[in-house]
Amino acid sequence: MAIQDITVAYTAVATAENGRDGRVSSDDGRLDVVVNPPKELGGNGAGTNPEQLFAAGYSACFQGALGVVARQEKADISGSTVTAAVSIGKTAEGGFGLEVAISATIPNVDTATAQSLIEKAHQVCPYSNATRGNIKVELSVV
């Protein structure tokens, strides 16, 4: 797969201090959060963690992509939600990896239409494009 080339429209900048057990903030001050490893990874779980932040970004971005596709298809996605479940675990090589499960609820369309919409959104979403071919991403309609 070739590296994607884009015309940059916006750049987000965030800085981490002390890695997974510290703080993350954006250059504009709108994001400033304490991060701690979850209890499942031996941390205290007091703050948020990178996987939660990734899940938040991916779900919001995917919902936006779903909106783009719905407008093109003239489909009513009002009242829809998108949930991203980001899992972390050890790889066979001894490092760590991620996998994602995206689930969408789209109440105003039938299941087949909803499935088609999320599959098309998966082709449009920048997070999906960034992860495609790198990690497991499952899509489902709930």
Side-chain angles (χ1 to χ4, degrees), residues 90-104:
K90 289 191 176 183
T91 65
E93 295 79 23
F96 288 89
L98 301 173
E99 59 183 46
V100 178
I102 299 282
S103 59

PDB file of all heavy atoms in Angstrom, residues 90-104:
ATOM      1  N   LYS A  90      -0.604  -7.651  23.668  1.00  0.00           N
ATOM      2  CA  LYS A  90       0.729  -8.027  23.191  1.00  0.00           C
ATOM      3  C   LYS A  90       0.641  -8.655  21.808  1.00  0.00           C
ATOM      4  O   LYS A  90      -0.282  -9.390  21.498  1.00  0.00           O
ATOM      5  CB  LYS A  90       1.382  -8.995  24.170  1.00  0.00           C
ATOM      6  CG  LYS A  90       1.767  -8.312  25.461  1.00  0.00           C
ATOM      7  CD  LYS A  90       2.634  -9.195  26.315  1.00  0.00           C
ATOM      8  CE  LYS A  90       3.060  -8.412  27.553  1.00  0.00           C
ATOM      9  NZ  LYS A  90       3.954  -9.176  28.402  1.00  0.00           N
ATOM     10  N   THR A  91       1.648  -8.365  21.004  1.00  0.00           N
ATOM     11  CA  THR A  91       1.768  -8.972  19.677  1.00  0.00           C
ATOM     12  C   THR A  91       2.620 -10.233  19.788  1.00  0.00           C
ATOM     13  O   THR A  91       3.310 -10.446  20.793  1.00  0.00           O
ATOM     14  CB  THR A  91       2.442  -8.011  18.681  1.00  0.00           C
ATOM     15  OG1 THR A  91       3.798  -7.788  19.098  1.00  0.00           O
ATOM     16  CG2 THR A  91       1.693  -6.691  18.574  1.00  0.00           C
ATOM     17  N   ALA A  92       2.594 -11.030  18.757  1.00  0.00           N
ATOM     18  CA  ALA A  92       3.402 -12.254  18.730  1.00  0.00           C
ATOM     19  C   ALA A  92       4.895 -11.936  18.791  1.00  0.00           C
ATOM     20  O   ALA A  92       5.686 -12.736  19.278  1.00  0.00           O
ATOM     21  CB  ALA A  92       3.094 -13.063  17.465  1.00  0.00           C
ATOM     22  N   GLU A  93       5.263 -10.746  18.331  1.00  0.00           N
ATOM     23  CA  GLU A  93       6.667 -10.342  18.323  1.00  0.00           C
ATOM     24  C   GLU A  93       7.128  -9.804  19.684  1.00  0.00           C
ATOM     25  O   GLU A  93       8.289  -9.468  19.853  1.00  0.00           O
ATOM     26  CB  GLU A  93       6.909  -9.273  17.243  1.00  0.00           C
ATOM     27  CG  GLU A  93       6.686  -9.759  15.826  1.00  0.00           C
ATOM     28  CD  GLU A  93       5.212  -9.812  15.438  1.00  0.00           C
ATOM     29  OE1 GLU A  93       4.377  -9.107  16.048  1.00  0.00           O
ATOM     30  OE2 GLU A  93       4.878 -10.598  14.539  1.00  0.00           O
ATOM     31  N   GLY A  94       6.205  -9.668  20.639  1.00  0.00           N
ATOM     32  CA  GLY A  94       6.571  -9.203  21.970  1.00  0.00           C
ATOM     33  C   GLY A  94       6.304  -7.739  22.240  1.00  0.00           C
ATOM     34  O   GLY A  94       6.483  -7.270  23.357  1.00  0.00           O
ATOM     35  N   GLY A  95       5.877  -6.999  21.237  1.00  0.00           N
ATOM     36  CA  GLY A  95       5.512  -5.599  21.432  1.00  0.00           C
ATOM     37  C   GLY A  95       4.034  -5.493  21.790  1.00  0.00           C
ATOM     38  O   GLY A  95       3.418  -6.461  22.256  1.00  0.00           O
ATOM     39  N   PHE A  96       3.464  -4.334  21.565  1.00  0.00           N
ATOM     40  CA  PHE A  96       2.046  -4.120  21.808  1.00  0.00           C
ATOM     41  C   PHE A  96       1.368  -3.674  20.532  1.00  0.00           C
ATOM     42  O   PHE A  96       1.975  -3.020  19.687  1.00  0.00           O
ATOM     43  CB  PHE A  96       1.826  -3.063  22.904  1.00  0.00           C
ATOM     44  CG  PHE A  96       2.170  -3.561  24.272  1.00  0.00           C
ATOM     45  CD1 PHE A  96       3.454  -3.437  24.773  1.00  0.00           C
ATOM     46  CD2 PHE A  96       1.206  -4.171  25.058  1.00  0.00           C
ATOM     47  CE1 PHE A  96       3.784  -3.907  26.028  1.00  0.00           C
ATOM     48  CE2 PHE A  96       1.521  -4.650  26.320  1.00  0.00           C
ATOM     49  CZ  PHE A  96       2.810  -4.517  26.804  1.00  0.00           C
ATOM     50  N   GLY A  97       0.107  -4.025  20.387  1.00  0.00           N
ATOM     51  CA  GLY A  97      -0.675  -3.648  19.223  1.00  0.00           C
ATOM     52  C   GLY A  97      -2.090  -3.289  19.614  1.00  0.00           C
ATOM     53  O   GLY A  97      -2.508  -3.489  20.763  1.00  0.00           O
ATOM     54  N   LEU A  98      -2.825  -2.761  18.659  1.00  0.00           N
ATOM     55  CA  LEU A  98      -4.208  -2.337  18.862  1.00  0.00           C
ATOM     56  C   LEU A  98      -5.131  -3.072  17.903  1.00  0.00           C
ATOM     57  O   LEU A  98      -4.706  -3.522  16.839  1.00  0.00           O
ATOM     58  CB  LEU A  98      -4.355  -0.828  18.593  1.00  0.00           C
ATOM     59  CG  LEU A  98      -3.535   0.130  19.426  1.00  0.00           C
ATOM     60  CD1 LEU A  98      -3.706   1.552  18.890  1.00  0.00           C
ATOM     61  CD2 LEU A  98      -3.932   0.059  20.888  1.00  0.00           C
ATOM     62  N   GLU A  99      -6.383  -3.159  18.292  1.00  0.00           N
ATOM     63  CA  GLU A  99      -7.444  -3.527  17.368  1.00  0.00           C
ATOM     64  C   GLU A  99      -8.668  -2.716  17.746  1.00  0.00           C
ATOM     65  O   GLU A  99      -8.794  -2.255  18.884  1.00  0.00           O
ATOM     66  CB  GLU A  99      -7.718  -5.027  17.340  1.00  0.00           C
ATOM     67  CG  GLU A  99      -8.108  -5.671  18.621  1.00  0.00           C
ATOM     68  CD  GLU A  99      -8.270  -7.184  18.467  1.00  0.00           C
ATOM     69  OE1 GLU A  99      -7.402  -7.843  17.856  1.00  0.00           O
ATOM     70  OE2 GLU A  99      -9.281  -7.700  18.974  1.00  0.00           O
ATOM     71  N   VAL A 100      -9.548  -2.517  16.767  1.00  0.00           N
ATOM     72  CA  VAL A 100     -10.691  -1.628  16.956  1.00  0.00           C
ATOM     73  C   VAL A 100     -11.963  -2.323  16.493  1.00  0.00           C
ATOM     74  O   VAL A 100     -11.974  -2.995  15.459  1.00  0.00           O
ATOM     75  CB  VAL A 100     -10.508  -0.314  16.155  1.00  0.00           C
ATOM     76  CG1 VAL A 100     -11.714   0.594  16.305  1.00  0.00           C
ATOM     77  CG2 VAL A 100      -9.239   0.408  16.580  1.00  0.00           C
ATOM     78  N   ALA A 101     -13.026  -2.133  17.262  1.00  0.00           N
ATOM     79  CA  ALA A 101     -14.364  -2.563  16.856  1.00  0.00           C
ATOM     80  C   ALA A 101     -15.239  -1.313  16.778  1.00  0.00           C
ATOM     81  O   ALA A 101     -15.395  -0.605  17.775  1.00  0.00           O
ATOM     82  CB  ALA A 101     -14.939  -3.560  17.847  1.00  0.00           C
ATOM     83  N   ILE A 102     -15.748  -1.036  15.590  1.00  0.00           N
ATOM     84  CA  ILE A 102     -16.638   0.108  15.364  1.00  0.00           C
ATOM     85  C   ILE A 102     -18.054  -0.431  15.279  1.00  0.00           C
ATOM     86  O   ILE A 102     -18.341  -1.320  14.474  1.00  0.00           O
ATOM     87  CB  ILE A 102     -16.307   0.824  14.032  1.00  0.00           C
ATOM     88  CG1 ILE A 102     -14.891   1.365  14.020  1.00  0.00           C
ATOM     89  CG2 ILE A 102     -17.333   1.906  13.723  1.00  0.00           C
ATOM     90  CD1 ILE A 102     -14.670   2.622  14.771  1.00  0.00           C
ATOM     91  N   SER A 103     -18.932   0.097  16.116  1.00  0.00           N
ATOM     92  CA  SER A 103     -20.344  -0.291  16.032  1.00  0.00           C
ATOM     93  C   SER A 103     -21.180   0.975  15.852  1.00  0.00           C
ATOM     94  O   SER A 103     -20.900   2.007  16.450  1.00  0.00           O
ATOM     95  CB  SER A 103     -20.779  -1.068  17.279  1.00  0.00           C
ATOM     96  OG  SER A 103     -20.592  -0.306  18.444  1.00  0.00           O
ATOM     97  N   ALA A 104     -22.181   0.867  14.998  1.00  0.00           N
ATOM     98  CA  ALA A 104     -23.038   2.010  14.696  1.00  0.00           C
ATOM     99  C   ALA A 104     -24.491   1.638  14.896  1.00  0.00           C
ATOM    100  O   ALA A 104     -24.918   0.533  14.549  1.00  0.00           O
ATOM    101  CB  ALA A 104     -22.808   2.480  13.264  1.00  0.00           C
TER     102      ALA A 104
END
